[in-house]
Amino acid sequence: MATPEIEAQLAPLRAAVKEYGDLIRDLKAKSAPKIDIDKAVVELKARKRLLEETEISLAPKEASFDRLKLEDLLKRRFFYDQSFAIYGGVTGLYDFGPMGCSLKANMLQEWRKHFILEEGMLEVDCTSLTPEPVLKASGHVDRFADWMVKDVKNGECFRADHLIKNSIEKLMNDKKVSADVKRDGEDVLARLEGFDDKDMHEVITRFKFKSPITGNDLTEPIAFNLMFPTQIGPTGDFKAFLRPETAQGIFVNFKRLLEFNQGKLPFAAAQIGLGFRNEISPRQGLIRVREFTMCEIEHFVDPEDKSFPKFSKIADQKLVLFPHVINWMEHQRRKSPSEMLLQTKMTIYIMFQKTVANETLGYYMARCHQFLMKVGIDGRRLRFRQHLSNEMAHYAQDCWDAEILTSYGWIECVGNADRACYDLLQHYKATNVKLVAEKKLPQPVDVDIVEAQANMALLGKSFKKEAKKIQSALQQMTSEQVTSLEADLLSKKLFNLNINGEAYPLTPDLINIKKYSKKIHVQEITPSVIEPSYGIGRIMYALLEHSFRQREGDEQRTFLAFKPLVAPIKCSVLPISANDQLVAGIEAVKEELSRYELSYKVDDSSGTIGRRYARTDEIGIPFGITVDFESVKTTPYTVTIRHAETMSQIRLEVSELGRLISDLVAGRQQWTDAQAKYPKFESTTD
């Protein structure tokens, strides 16, 4: 994080950028002459450039990171590997080995505890197969697509925006490219998020970009829907998709969840499950895959009151923010860890007052920060970036991505969005099933009610088994819809009722229109939704990078320094030799660890104790328990515990071992506390 001295230097420069950002918005709002706006834009760019240069000059220099060494470790120790590797592998699909599986499970367990248990959320587990009408209503069938270009000769596909970004970044690093071309490239990157197919084609043509693999020409961009299609049942008529997100399962079950919550708002529902996206050209390991684990929360709240009861508990928490006012560097080029920008550090309270849409969104951002720090993400490489207006869906009111800096650049790992009422309204329009809550009015109100009542005797004769469906749809209609129905029946003697795309012709004799006045004590409202969405695979990869270490003085000796909370295995049990005298001590240690439900790995293989320490350090086991000849000399038995990251050791009785390790894993004690309590053990084996 930035020191007070650095912040003092950056603050006036940020204020200068904000001043002209506000000025340009004001000029546009007043429809000022274009020449005045252009002049202000030039000045804004100059101020941004000065801020950028100053930030980079003051940024801390991170230790060098060797991604190849990390990837070698992860593959060799089978944290994860490409699926179906013996058949040549499939890009975008990965299998987790024992260590990766355990690490992921521990992260999910902590997520469930941190959010579902501590916040009292309602957990659901919905099917991955989703009928087409559901995703048609949500907008995924029509709009869940990326622009793709193809190699004109071999047909290889590339995601258009990624190809443009990567090609321009290559130009920026080419000393032979002129300053004018580089400035043009910077301008393209700044606007790339809002480009459509025509914009992308114009850029590819103007810069003469080719296939990065073959150098061949490229086709014009075409839309490619990212969902995996399938069919339900043997006929092939029931179209469906593998879900691209878990959220829709929660939205379609809103009524049941509201009933379970006794009809009260606000409440939150959560789901952990798989999502599927048929990425055009998956790259970068776990960062861009075709099957992934998501953890999503849908917090339903009164759209007129998005305050949060526990907001005061996090009001003083500080986050690194990248608000859209200065959200420009991200769209110029992604920096390496050694060039990490120093962002604006603000408390949640200040952030809420000035930048974030509401308390509920701000609360979830703070809790997101707490979770990421708890599992081991480096706080110096974590920021919250606010979406530009052209990035957000038209219905979204605000959106902040938790981004983590890796060797691939800043990676979006968590989305925190205010989705307003969009999803529930879309599913209501598609099904005529009201997805609303009731809000108590301060005073009763008299309202005029217009209802359409089905004549079930005649309706049953005309529509048979469909009659109940029609009756239900009529009951769901609003007063305005019934008034429109009545007008059609009077003028046309016919009303076509649409249910899930199928029309049912209704004549006046099938419907009775009832009008009356009613005193109501509650108001129906469609809740707004605050949605935090976590990509576990991306967080996991960032955690692996942030946990990767090299021993000082021995760069070939690499290891993973996980936080004990998420470490796949908490302890290694290492007998000093294969002597039978140590068996009783080893069994006592295993029994003690099992009593506290602590995972462990016994390494009684040949080789020196130092070599075995290195093997267990490499896979991120935080504590090494050594049973030596001193351990079994006395009763009760004693052992030494070695802290992998610092290589320091202490000695204690086996009877105290389980509680100490349990406390260290849960964070109730730190290693320094254990060192202060127990005698130090000196060893020369490391």
Side-chain angles (χ1 to χ4, degrees), residues 7-52:
E7 285 294 339
Q9 294 181 61
L10 294 176
L13 298 178
R14 292 195 183 106
V17 170
K18 184 179 185 304
E19 177 190 358
Y20 261 71
D22 293 342
L23 173 62
I24 291 168
R25 279 196 297 273
D26 187 51
L27 289 172
K28 289 181 177 178
K30 294 178 179 178
S31 301
K34 186 175 184 298
I35 189 171
D36 292 345
I37 296 175
D38 290 345
K39 185 177 178 181
V41 168
V42 170
E43 176 63 21
L44 176 62
K45 287 182 177 179
R47 295 185 179 203
K48 287 176 176 179
R49 192 172 296 113
L50 178 59
L51 174 61
E52 171 192 354

Side-chain angles (χ1 to χ4, degrees), residues 321-385:
L321 299 181
F322 200 43
H324 58 61
V325 171
I326 58 170
N327 186 358
W328 51 277
M329 189 62 186
E330 176 67 18
H331 299 280
Q332 293 183 19
R333 55 184 176 271
R334 289 180 179 264
K335 294 294 181 182
S336 66
S338 62
E339 295 174 307
M340 186 183 74
L341 295 178
L342 298 172
Q343 310 296 343
T344 305
K345 189 178 180 183
M346 301 173 70
T347 65
I348 286 289
Y349 176 73
I350 295 172
M351 177 182 75
F352 164 66
Q353 295 281 43
K354 297 184 177 180
T355 311
V356 173
N358 56 74
E359 279 189 6
T360 301
L361 184 58
Y363 180 82
Y364 278 113
M365 288 169 64
R367 291 290 282 159
C368 171
H369 182 270
Q370 291 171 6
F371 170 75
L372 294 175
M373 296 293 288
K374 191 183 293 185
V375 298
I377 295 300
D378 182 355
R380 298 171 302 165
R381 291 180 272 180
L382 170 62
R383 73 180 186 188
F384 288 82
R385 184 181 70 83

Side-chain angles (χ1 to χ4, degrees), residues 542-571:
L543 174 60
L544 288 165
E545 274 204 12
H546 291 194
S547 303
F548 185 65
R549 304 283 191 274
Q550 295 178 188
R551 289 289 181 205
E552 190 174 350
D554 185 0
E555 292 187 357
Q556 297 306 310
R557 192 171 169 186
T558 59
F559 68 102
L560 292 165
F562 293 126
K563 284 205 170 184
L565 182 68
V566 296
I569 299 173
K570 309 307 181 189
C571 311

Side-chain angles (χ1 to χ4, degrees), residues 223-463:
F224 176 75
N225 193 287
L226 298 177
M227 292 191 295
F228 284 100
T230 186
Q231 298 88 33
I232 298 175
T235 64
D237 296 333
F238 196 154
K239 293 181 180 179
F241 296 91
L242 294 178
R243 64 184 179 192
E245 62 180 18
T246 65
Q248 300 307 319
I250 297 177
F251 295 136
V252 299
N253 282 297
F254 170 76
K255 282 187 70 173
R256 303 297 306 275
L257 291 165
L258 182 66
E259 289 170 7
F260 188 87
N261 203 52
Q262 299 175 321
K264 297 177 182 177
L265 287 180
F267 73 89
Q271 182 168 194
I272 299 171
L274 291 174
F276 304 85
R277 297 184 186 181
N278 195 11
E279 294 285 352
I280 295 169
S281 51
R283 300 285 192 275
Q284 304 174 338
L286 295 182
I287 292 174
R288 190 165 295 282
V289 294
R290 288 175 166 139
E291 178 183 334
F292 47 91
T293 299
M294 305 178 74
C295 297
E296 291 194 303
I297 299 165
E298 309 302 331
H299 184 101
F300 299 98
V301 63
D302 183 343
E304 296 180 359
D305 181 13
K306 295 180 182 178
S307 60
F308 200 89
K310 293 161 66 176
F311 182 78
S312 60
K313 292 186 176 182
I314 52 85
D316 294 328
Q317 186 175 330
K318 292 185 177 180
L319 304 183
V320 177
L321 299 181
F322 200 43
H324 58 61
V325 171
I326 58 170
N327 186 358
W328 51 277
M329 189 62 186
E330 176 67 18
H331 299 280
Q332 293 183 19
R333 55 184 176 271
R334 289 180 179 264
K335 294 294 181 182
S336 66
S338 62
E339 295 174 307
M340 186 183 74
L341 295 178
L342 298 172
Q343 310 296 343
T344 305
K345 189 178 180 183
M346 301 173 70
T347 65
I348 286 289
Y349 176 73
I350 295 172
M351 177 182 75
F352 164 66
Q353 295 281 43
K354 297 184 177 180
T355 311
V356 173
N358 56 74
E359 279 189 6
T360 301
L361 184 58
Y363 180 82
Y364 278 113
M365 288 169 64
R367 291 290 282 159
C368 171
H369 182 270
Q370 291 171 6
F371 170 75
L372 294 175
M373 296 293 288
K374 191 183 293 185
V375 298
I377 295 300
D378 182 355
R380 298 171 302 165
R381 291 180 272 180
L382 170 62
R383 73 180 186 188
F384 288 82
R385 184 181 70 83
Q386 188 175 30
H387 279 207
L388 296 168
S389 57
N390 63 354
E391 289 182 85
M392 289 194 294
H394 64 278
Y395 54 82
Q397 295 190 350
D398 199 5
C399 186
W400 291 80
D401 288 341
E403 296 186 328
I404 302 174
L405 189 62
T406 71
S407 60
Y408 291 108
W410 288 101
I411 303 300
E412 171 199 344
C413 294
V414 184
N416 297 281
D418 183 338
R419 297 173 65 112
C421 308
Y422 174 80
D423 299 280
L424 296 180
L425 286 174
Q426 288 299 107
H427 289 301
Y428 162 60
K429 290 175 184 176
T431 63
N432 281 322
V433 175
K434 287 185 180 180
L435 301 175
V436 297
E438 291 186 343
K439 177 181 177 181
K440 189 174 181 179
L441 295 170
Q443 298 291 334
V445 176
D446 290 319
V447 294
D448 294 326
I449 304 295
V450 183
E451 289 180 351
Q453 295 183 339
N455 185 335
M456 289 303 293
L458 295 177
L459 199 66
K461 289 181 180 179
S462 300
F463 293 99

Side-chain angles (χ1 to χ4, degrees), residues 78-85 93-97 100 286:
F78 195 18
F79 274 78
Y80 61 87
D81 196 8
Q82 196 171 49
S83 298
F84 314 109
L93 298 178
Y94 288 90
D95 295 333
F96 290 93
L286 295 182

